[in-house]
C-alpha cells in the first residue's frame, strides 16, 4: 500500500523558484495570469441550478437544491444558505471519504462567507410564510479533479450555479402551501468572485496549480463583489504576508476579479 | 431581519462607551495550569479563554510524525456555557475552521524544525465568549507557547477590526460583531511586520481595508506590550523565589 504525502521534491521546488525569479511559471504563465476558465451551467437536470467549472486541469461541480423548512429562530424573516464542499477521492489520490476535514470545511466556509457578505442571494425574498416557512438554498460542491486552487474553482461554480438557479413558485391557501410546477429565478442581488494568491519564497503568484500549492509558504484568498468591494478574506498556509504585500494583492486581485467576473453567466433574474 | 441597532452615538462613543480606536480591558496571566508544559489565560472584554500547551512530546498516531520538524496541532473549542444559548459539545464547522486558521497563525512564529518527530499540542478552551475569541485565543496561545519554552521568532498578537455604522473600529465586541457591517481578524508577529492571520467577513472598500489594517496594527502594538509584560512578570516572580532559596 502506498501512502501519498503532501510533499514535493526539493528539485522541483527549486525549479519553481528559479523560474519565478525570471517571472515565469512551470506551465508557461506569468505570475499574475489566471488559468483559462470554462463554465458550463445547467448540466444537472435534477438540480435547481448547477455548474461545472474547469480551471486549467482543476474541475469542480456545483449543484443547488432548494428545500422548504422553518426559518432559523434568529432570522424568522429570511431564507437560509447552506454551503457544503467535499473533496472526494475521485478528484485526487490525496482525498479520502469520511467526515469532512479541515480543508473541505475551510472551502465551504469561505465560499459561504463570500456569497453571504456580498448579498448575492436576497435571502429575505426567500420567505414563503413569515416566521414559518422559508426556502433553504443548499449549494453542494464536489471536487472532480484537483490541480490546485480548488477554492476559486468552487467559488466560480457555486456562484454560476446560483445565478442560474430557479425556484418553484408556491401558492398559499390557508395553512396549506402548494408547490407549483412553474419556476422562477432565485432573487439575485450581487455577485461574488474569489482570487487566490500563493506566496512562494519571496514571490507571489495568482491561481496556483497543485505543484505550486505544495511549494507555497502561504496563501491569500480575497473575495470581491461586483462593485469591487472586498467581501471576504482568508489567509492560509504556515507562512506569512507583510502588510505591504497584502495591500498590493488587494489591488491586484481587484483587477483580476474584473476580468474574471465577465466569465460568469448572466443571472436569470436580470 | 436584523434590527437597526445604533452602535455609535452622536459623541462618537461605542455601545460599550469606548472610542473608535480603543481596546477593551485586557488582562493576561501566564502559567496558570500546572499540568501543562505552558499555559496562559486571557480576559479581553467579556472573553475568558484558557490555553494549554503540551509538548514537544511523542506523536500519536505515530504516522503523523514529520521527519524534519514538529507537528503543530491546535484545538479551539467553546465550552457549552460560553454563549447565551447552550452550545452543542460536538465541535462544529466553525470550531474546526478556527482551529486551522489559529494553527496557521502560530506556525510561522515557531522554530518547529528544532523538534523533529514530535508533536506540540495547543488546546484552547473558550470559557466565556464576547466577540473576537479567535484573536484573543491567538494572543494567549502565543504566551502559552513561550511559557512552554518553545523557541519563537516573535510572539503572535491578534485583534479584530471591523466596520460599524460605516466607521472603522478596533476590537469588536459581540454586539458589534453581530450587527456591524464587517469584521476583520488580523494576527501579526509585530516585530517582523508579518501578518500570519487575515480573514474578513462583510464589505470593505480597498481604502477601508487599508485603514482597518493600520488600525489593527496600532491595536496589536498595545496588546503586544501587555503580552510581554505578562511573560516578564511570571519570570520576575520566579526569579525572586529562586533568590530566596
Amino acid at each position: 500500500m502506498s501512502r501519498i504525502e503532501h510533499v514535493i521534491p526539493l528539485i522541483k521546488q527549486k525549479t519553481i523558484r528559479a523560474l519565478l525569479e525570471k517571472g515565469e511559471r512551470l506551465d508557461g504563465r506569468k505570475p499574475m495570469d489566471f488559468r483559462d476558465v470554462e463554465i458550463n451551467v445547467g448540466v444537472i437536470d435534477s438540480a435547481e441550478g448547477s455548474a461545472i467549472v474547469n480551471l486549467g486541469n482543476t474541475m469542480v461541480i456545483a449543484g443547488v437544491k432548494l428545500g422548504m423548512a422553518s426559518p432559523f429562530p434568529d432570522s424568522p424573516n429570511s431564507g437560509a444558505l447552506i454551503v457544503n464542499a467535499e473533496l472526494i477521492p475521485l478528484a485526487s489520490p490525496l482525498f479520502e471519504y469520511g467526515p469532512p476535514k479541515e480543508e473541505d470545511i475551510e472551502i465551504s466556509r469561505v465560499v459561504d462567507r463570500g456569497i453571504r457578505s456580498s448579498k448575492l442571494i436576497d435571502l429575505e425574498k426567500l420567505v414563503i410564510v413569515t416566521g414559518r416557512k422559508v426556502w433553504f438554498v443548499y449549494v453542494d460542491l464536489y471536487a472532480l479533479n484537483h490541480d490546485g486552487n480548488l477554492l476559486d474553482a468552487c467559488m466560480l461554480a457555486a456562484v454560476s450555479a446560483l445565478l442560474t438557479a430557479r425556484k418553484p413558485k408556491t401558492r398559499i391557501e390557508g395553512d396549506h402551501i402548494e408547490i407549483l410546477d412553474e419556476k422562477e429565478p432565485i432573487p439575485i442581488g450581487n455577485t461574488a468572485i474569489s482570487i487566490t494568491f500563493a506566496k512562494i519564497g519571496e514571490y507571489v503568484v495568482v491561481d496556483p496549480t497543485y505543484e505550486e500549492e505544495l511549494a507555497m509558504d502561504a496563501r491569500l484568498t480575497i473575495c470581491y463583489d461586483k462593485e469591487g468591494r472586498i467581501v471576504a478574506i482568508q489567509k492560509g498556509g504556515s507562512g506569512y504576508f507583510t502588510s505591504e504585500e497584502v495591500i498590493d494583492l488587494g489591488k491586484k486581485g481587484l483587477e483580476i476579479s474584473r476580468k474574471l467576473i465577465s466569465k460568469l453567466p448572466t443571472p436569470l433574474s436580470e | 431581519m436584523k434590527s437597526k441597532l445604533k452602535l455609535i452615538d452622536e459623541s462618537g462613543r461605542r455601545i460599550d462607551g469606548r472610542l473608535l480606536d480603543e481596546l477593551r480591558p485586557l488582562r493576561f496571566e501566564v502559567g496558570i495550569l500546572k499540568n501543562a508544559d505552558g499555559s496562559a489565560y486571557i480576559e479581553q472584554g467579556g472573553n475568558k479563554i484558557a490555553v494549554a500547551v503540551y509538548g514537544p512530546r511523542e506523536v500519536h498516531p505515530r504516522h503523523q510524525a514529520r521527519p524534519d520538524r514538529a507537528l503543530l496541532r491546535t484545538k479551539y473549542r467553546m465550552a457549552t456555557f460560553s454563549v447565551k444559548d447552550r452550545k452543542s459539545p460536538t465541535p462544529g464547522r466553525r470550531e474546526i475552521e478556527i482551529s486551522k486558521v489559529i494553527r496557521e497563525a502560530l506556525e510561522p512564529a515557531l522554530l518547529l524544525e528544532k523538534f523533529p518527530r514530535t508533536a506540540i499540542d495547543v488546546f484552547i478552551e473558550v470559557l466565556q465568549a464576547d466577540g473576537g475569541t479567535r484573536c484573543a485565543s491567538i494572543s494567549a496561545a502565543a504566551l502559552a507557547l513561550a511559557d512552554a519554552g518553545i523557541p519563537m521568532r516573535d510572539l503572535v498578537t491578534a485583534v479584530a477590526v471591523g466596520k460599524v455604522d460605516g466607521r472603522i473600529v478596533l476590537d469588536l465586541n459581540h454586539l458589534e460583531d453581530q450587527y456591524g457591517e464587517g469584521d476583520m481578524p488580523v494576527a501579526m508577529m509585530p516585530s517582523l511586520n508579518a501578518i500570519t492571520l487575515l480573514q474578513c467577513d462583510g464589505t470593505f472598500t480597498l481604502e477601508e481595508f487599508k485603514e482597518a489594517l493600520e488600525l489593527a496594527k496600532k491595536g496589536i502594538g498595545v496588546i503586544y506590550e501587555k503580552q510581554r509584560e505578562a511573560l516578564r512578570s511570571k519570570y520576575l516572580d520566579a526569579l525572586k523565589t529562586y533568590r530566596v532559596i
Side-chain angles (χ1 to χ4, degrees):
Chain A
M1 279 248 297
S2 69
R3 241 186 77 80
I4 292 141
E5 288 280 353
H6 289 258
V7 289
I8 180 168
L10 263 177
I11 182 121
K12 191 151 233 172
Q13 222 179 103
K14 282 186 184 154
T15 313
I16 291 177
R17 286 184 194 217
L19 278 173
L20 281 173
E21 207 173 313
K22 295 187 278 175
E24 290 167 18
R25 293 164 78 174
L26 276 179
D27 58 5
R29 281 186 288 161
K30 295 273 170 242
M32 288 301 139
D33 286 349
F34 219 83
R35 282 174 290 183
D36 283 335
V37 176
E38 196 190 312
I39 302 173
N40 288 304
V41 295
V43 287
I44 304 291
D45 291 337
S46 49
E48 272 80 47
S50 60
I52 285 191
V53 167
N54 285 280
L55 175 60
N57 288 328
T58 290
M59 196 198 310
V60 302
I61 185 165
V64 173
K65 291 297 286 176
L66 291 176
M68 216 198 291
S70 305
F72 289 123
D74 58 350
S75 52
N77 302 314
S78 168
L81 168 73
I82 291 154
V83 181
N84 188 53
E86 272 191 65
L87 308 182
I88 51 176
L90 184 98
S92 161
L94 298 161
F95 301 154
E96 288 166 18
Y97 283 115
K101 305 213 168 51
E102 275 182 349
E103 220 181 335
D104 313 41
I105 290 172
E106 184 177 45
I107 291 177
S108 314
R109 287 183 52 92
V110 175
V111 170
D112 182 293
R113 279 208 288 273
I115 294 172
R116 203 177 289 275
S117 296
S118 64
K119 302 200 168 64
L120 184 136
I121 321 178
D122 193 343
L123 291 174
E124 280 160 23
K125 287 191 187 150
L126 290 174
V127 175
I128 304 164
V129 180
T130 303
R132 283 188 42 221
K133 277 284 174 276
V134 298
W135 288 112
F136 272 45
V137 180
Y138 298 91
V139 182
D140 293 304
L141 295 151
Y142 294 91
L144 299 178
N145 197 65
H146 177 24
D147 187 23
N149 201 9
L150 281 170
L151 215 164
D152 288 352
C154 283
M155 189 66 151
L156 284 165
V159 170
S160 303
L162 283 170
L163 293 179
T164 54
R166 293 169 190 276
K167 71 177 175 71
K169 287 189 173 180
T170 48
R171 183 163 56 207
I172 302 158
E173 278 168 36
D175 271 356
H176 181 71
I177 301 165
E178 190 187 347
I179 298 177
L180 307 173
D181 289 335
E182 200 187 334
K183 293 194 169 183
E184 59 188 356
I186 63 166
I188 297 296
N190 202 339
T191 197
I193 203 117
S194 73
I195 307 291
T196 295
F197 299 97
K199 184 172 171 181
I200 304 170
E202 60 203 281
Y203 309 102
V204 179
V205 298
V206 75
D207 180 27
T209 59
Y210 179 58
E211 280 176 336
E212 288 170 332
E213 282 183 354
L214 289 179
M216 78 182 172
D217 299 296
R219 192 197 71 212
L220 189 71
T221 300
I222 310 177
C223 305
Y224 302 86
D225 71 354
K226 67 175 172 196
E227 323 300 338
R229 289 178 300 201
I230 294 172
V231 291
I233 301 179
Q234 183 90 343
K235 178 252 165 188
S238 51
Y240 64 86
F241 290 89
T242 64
S243 48
E244 292 76 23
E245 279 170 337
V246 163
I247 287 168
D248 180 49
L249 293 179
K251 284 184 212 148
K252 285 192 173 130
L254 179 60
E255 282 169 37
I256 300 167
S257 77
R258 292 213 157 113
K259 276 183 247 163
L260 210 54
I261 242 165
S262 64
K263 308 233 162 125
L264 289 172
T266 327
L268 287 181
S269 61
E270 269 175 20
Chain B
M1 205 146 95
K2 284 180 182 177
S3 59
K4 211 51 224 162
L5 190 66
K6 207 164 161 40
L7 294 165
I8 297 178
D9 71 12
E10 293 72 21
S11 61
R13 292 269 172 183
R14 290 152 71 180
I15 198 147
D16 53 9
R18 279 184 293 157
L19 296 169
L20 302 184
D21 62 349
E22 194 179 337
L23 290 166
R24 290 176 287 180
L26 176 64
R27 186 170 77 87
F28 288 107
E29 237 176 278
V30 176
I32 50 151
L33 307 169
K34 297 307 164 211
N35 277 348
D37 296 306
S39 61
Y41 174 73
I42 181 173
E43 277 185 18
Q44 185 170 18
N47 289 319
K48 296 182 179 177
I49 302 166
V51 183
V53 170
Y54 284 86
R57 62 179 177 181
E58 217 175 315
V59 187
H60 291 290
R62 273 237 169 90
H63 69 83
Q64 286 186 355
R66 316 293 300 214
D68 57 339
R69 63 194 165 95
L71 179 72
L72 179 68
R73 295 185 291 207
T74 55
K75 290 271 185 292
Y76 163 100
R77 294 289 185 266
M78 290 181 92
T80 53
F81 47 76
S82 62
V83 281
K84 195 159 163 275
D85 295 324
R86 179 176 184 266
K87 199 211 139 281
S88 149
T90 356
R93 299 208 300 182
R94 176 178 170 277
E95 283 158 297
I96 295 171
E97 187 210 340
I98 291 181
S99 299
K100 178 180 192 283
V101 295
I102 290 179
R103 189 186 70 234
E104 291 171 341
L106 297 169
E107 224 172 337
L110 301 173
L111 298 169
L112 295 175
E113 59 279 15
K114 299 268 185 209
F115 307 101
R117 298 191 175 283
T118 66
I120 299 171
D121 287 299
V122 180
F123 300 116
I124 300 164
E125 197 66 35
V126 178
L127 304 173
Q128 186 177 300
D130 179 30
T133 55
R134 80 192 67 185
C135 291
S137 299
I138 289 169
S139 303
L143 282 184
L145 284 160
D147 184 40
I150 314 276
M152 294 167 83
R153 295 180 175 86
D154 193 2
L155 288 173
V156 183
T157 315
V159 78
V161 282
K163 197 161 119 186
V164 168
D165 290 352
R167 311 283 294 272
I168 302 296
V169 302
L170 181 63
D171 191 15
L172 301 184
N173 64 28
H174 171 66
L175 282 173
E176 292 171 328
D177 186 20
Q178 194 175 0
Y179 297 104
E181 297 104 83
D183 164 30
M184 188 190 292
V186 183
M188 295 184 78
M189 290 189 275
S191 307
L192 304 172
N193 182 33
I195 297 174
T196 65
L197 172 136
L198 181 62
Q199 292 184 285
C200 142
D201 185 6
T203 47
F204 293 86
T205 63
L206 266 182
E207 278 314 304
E208 286 168 341
F209 173 56
K210 268 192 230 169
E211 191 190 333
L213 207 56
E214 276 313 307
L215 186 59
K217 273 188 179 178
K218 196 178 147 192
I220 281 172
V222 178
I223 301 171
Y224 186 50
E225 274 316 307
K226 294 230 177 192
Q227 281 174 301
R228 291 168 50 131
E229 240 170 64
L231 206 52
R232 238 184 260 129
S233 76
K234 178 188 167 180
Y235 290 97
L236 281 177
D237 291 349
L239 207 59
K240 275 178 214 152
T241 339
Y242 183 73
R243 275 182 188 153
V244 173
I245 296 164

